[in-house]
């Protein structure tokens, strides 16, 4: 996987990097990757394939249909592996096991994505129009995505792990969403994550930490 740089994505990233709305802060990030494997990706890809097949083998032993039967198709497993590899490149220090990950990727429709984006990013959209004028944030996002991955040809996936397994969540997070726009023909994927953080929780955490830092400074100046 190779990170791809696009000015159109950078423009939106700059806007979403830190949007303070008083009691809340909205953050977002777009990252584009080519699905061409590096040497490390190839090794990890083989390992992920084995893990998925092993899980499918265990699932077939049960009488009830498995929720991941679509992974019996090799192209579906390939898509899953690309998405997991994207996560590994986004968060190289985090462990995304194949058995866990395939339970959290959901194939989304464009309508469902738009409903989520419009509902949770409405304040950000207003700020975008006031700052940039012209099109809405969603319209400009679609233009940027179309430049990178040809939106009409994309499959849209969301990543929805448990909160304890989510590397995207930050202290004070109120909500968080993670989407992937994948173009099979171009072999490119764009990740989009956006979240809302409570400034009150973050400020309380920093306030709780401050006395310990100050005590440390006091003791540093004392003869023991």
């Amino acid at each position: 996987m190779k990170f791809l740089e696009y000015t159109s994505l950078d423009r939106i990233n700059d806007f979403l990097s830190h949007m303070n709305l008083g009691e809340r802060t909205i953050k977002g990030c777009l990252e584009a990757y080519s699905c061409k494997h590096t040497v490390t990706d190839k090794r990890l890809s083989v390992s992920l394939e084995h893990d998925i097949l092993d899980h499918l083998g265990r699932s077939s032993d049960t009488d009830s249909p498995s929720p991941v039967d679509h992974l019996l198709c090799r192209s579906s497993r390939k898509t899953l592996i690309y998405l997991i590899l994207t996560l590994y490149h986004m968060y190289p220090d985090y462990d995304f096991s194949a058995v866990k990950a395939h339970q959290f990727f959901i194939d989304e429709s464009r309508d469902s994505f738009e409903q989520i984006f419009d509902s949770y990013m409405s304040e950000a959209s207003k700020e975008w129009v006031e700052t940039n004028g012209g099109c809405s944030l969603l319209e400009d996002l679609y233009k940027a995505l179309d430049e990178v991955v040809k939106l009409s040809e994309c499959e849209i996936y969301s990543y929805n792990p448990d909160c304890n397994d989510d590397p995207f969540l930050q202290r004070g997070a109120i909500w968080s969403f993670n989407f992937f726009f994948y173009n099979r023909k171009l072999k490119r994927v764009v990740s989009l994550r956006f979240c809302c953080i409570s400034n009150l929780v973050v400020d309380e955490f920093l306030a709780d930490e401050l006395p310990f830092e100050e005590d440390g400074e006091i003791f540093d100046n004392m003869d023991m």
Side-chain angles (χ1 to χ4, degrees), residues 52-53 55-56 68-78 80 98 102:
I52 294 169
L53 291 174
H55 178 80
L56 289 174
V68 292
D69 281 344
H70 67 281
L71 292 177
L72 292 171
C73 173
R74 190 175 186 281
S75 63
S76 295
R77 295 198 302 274
K78 196 171 183 180
L80 171 64
H102 67 237

Side-chain angles (χ1 to χ4, degrees), residues 90-102:
M90 292 164 61
Y91 289 88
D93 297 327
Y94 199 87
D95 179 29
F96 298 94
S97 67
V99 174
K100 269 189 172 181
H102 67 237

Side-chain angles (χ1 to χ4, degrees), residues 11-48:
R11 177 170 172 250
I12 298 177
N13 281 334
D14 288 342
F15 173 77
L16 293 177
S17 61
H18 194 84
M19 189 186 311
N20 193 316
L21 300 173
E23 294 184 353
R24 303 176 308 284
T25 292
I26 291 179
K27 292 185 178 181
C29 184
L30 287 157
E31 292 185 12
Y33 292 90
S34 164
C35 294
K36 185 177 181 180
H37 284 354
T38 64
V39 174
T40 302
D41 290 332
K42 289 178 181 178
R43 289 197 297 266
L44 185 54
S45 178
V46 171
S47 175
L48 290 170

Side-chain angles (χ1 to χ4, degrees), residues 87-129:
L87 288 174
Y88 271 109
H89 281 269
M90 292 164 61
Y91 289 88
D93 297 327
Y94 199 87
D95 179 29
F96 298 94
S97 67
V99 174
K100 269 189 172 181
H102 67 237
Q103 299 170 2
F104 301 135
F105 283 105
I106 299 175
D107 192 0
E108 300 279 0
S109 69
R110 186 160 166 174
D111 286 342
S112 64
F113 166 74
E114 289 180 1
Q115 288 176 5
I116 292 172
F117 192 90
D118 285 339
S119 296
Y120 288 87
M121 296 291 282
S122 58
E123 291 178 286
S125 297
K126 292 177 182 178
E127 290 286 332
W128 175 265
V129 173

Side-chain angles (χ1 to χ4, degrees), residues 30 85 145 147 149 151 162 172 189 202:
L30 287 157
L85 289 175
L145 289 170
E147 177 184 337
V149 287
L151 189 59
D162 295 332
V189 58
V202 174

